[in-house]
């Protein structure tokens, strides 16, 4: 495989990996890519897995996501180029995996709608897609019920 072909495959793989990081396809893409790494270099597996997870967290947080996305693509392109230089026999498998990753991205994404309401001094603890959200409502002082309430409202 020529250096140009390695660079092209690395860019394609990097772009696909990073594109999947903030989608429902992430687990599938992540596991598929890690399987390629594990077969060639089990000792790199834990480091690569940690880097993937850290990158996904950056994109999911949303702040500076576009700059993070560009940086992660460059990072993963370099990582994949190094990986392919060390394991040139992995090129065909990485290319096939990249095609599967793109197919996973093209599949319809799940849409989640969750409605949680907190009234009065209520609290809502909600979990969606593995993220926990905590909301508290403070509607100000409560008015007593009955005749005293009527007098205050007048």
């Amino acid at each position: 495989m020529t250096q140009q072909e390695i660079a092209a495959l690395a860019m394609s793989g990097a772009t696909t990996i990073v594109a999947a990081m903030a989608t429902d396809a992430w687990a599938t893409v992540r596991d598929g890519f890690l399987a390629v790494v594990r077969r060639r270099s089990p000792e790199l597996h834990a480091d690569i897995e940690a880097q993937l997870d850290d990158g996904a967290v950056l994109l999911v947080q949303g702040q500076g996501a576009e700059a993070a996305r560009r940086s992660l693509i460059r990072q993963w392109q370099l990582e994949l180029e190094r990986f392919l230089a060390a394991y040139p026999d992995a090129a065909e498998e990485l290319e096939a995996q990249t095609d599967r990753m793109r197919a996973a991205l093209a599949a319809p994404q799940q849409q989640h709608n969750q409605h949680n309401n907190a009234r009065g001094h209520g609290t809502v603890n909600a979990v969606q897609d593995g993220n926990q959200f905590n909301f508290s409502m403070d509607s100000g002082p409560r008015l007593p019920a009955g005749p005293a309430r009527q007098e205050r409202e007048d």
Side-chain angles (χ1 to χ4, degrees), residues 19 68 76 103 122:
W76 282 106

Side-chain angles (χ1 to χ4, degrees), residues 58-75:
L58 280 175
L59 291 185
V60 170
Q61 288 176 345
Q63 293 178 319
E66 185 56 33
R69 188 186 67 75
R70 286 191 305 268
S71 179
L72 287 167
I73 288 172
R74 284 191 299 274
Q75 173 192 339

Side-chain angles (χ1 to χ4, degrees), residues 120-121 138-154:
H121 292 283
D138 185 3
S139 62
R142 290 187 171 195
L143 298 174
R149 180 177 184 169
Q150 184 117 29
E151 293 173 9
R152 282 191 166 178
E153 290 177 349
D154 289 340

Side-chain angles (χ1 to χ4, degrees), residues 1-108:
M1 184 170 243
T2 69
Q3 186 58 37
Q4 275 186 314
E5 291 171 325
I6 288 174
L9 178 54
M11 177 55 96
S12 177
T15 303
T16 304
I17 288 168
V18 174
M21 285 182 170
T23 70
D24 291 338
W26 175 233
T28 302
V29 169
R30 176 186 176 276
D31 292 347
F33 175 63
L34 286 171
V36 174
V37 172
R38 190 179 313 113
R39 279 191 274 287
R40 300 300 186 292
S41 180
E43 66 279 0
L44 285 178
H45 180 265
D47 289 340
I48 297 286
E49 183 176 27
Q51 288 178 36
L52 287 169
D53 292 341
D54 289 348
V57 168
L58 280 175
L59 291 185
V60 170
Q61 288 176 345
Q63 293 178 319
E66 185 56 33
R69 188 186 67 75
R70 286 191 305 268
S71 179
L72 287 167
I73 288 172
R74 284 191 299 274
Q75 173 192 339
W76 282 106
Q77 181 181 11
L78 291 172
E79 290 287 341
L80 291 174
E81 285 177 4
R82 274 189 283 212
F83 180 76
L84 290 170
Y87 305 98
D89 64 317
E92 190 174 307
E93 186 179 2
L94 181 61
E95 187 170 16
Q97 185 60 43
T98 299
D99 290 342
R100 284 191 291 276
M101 290 187 292
R102 274 199 216 105
L105 280 171

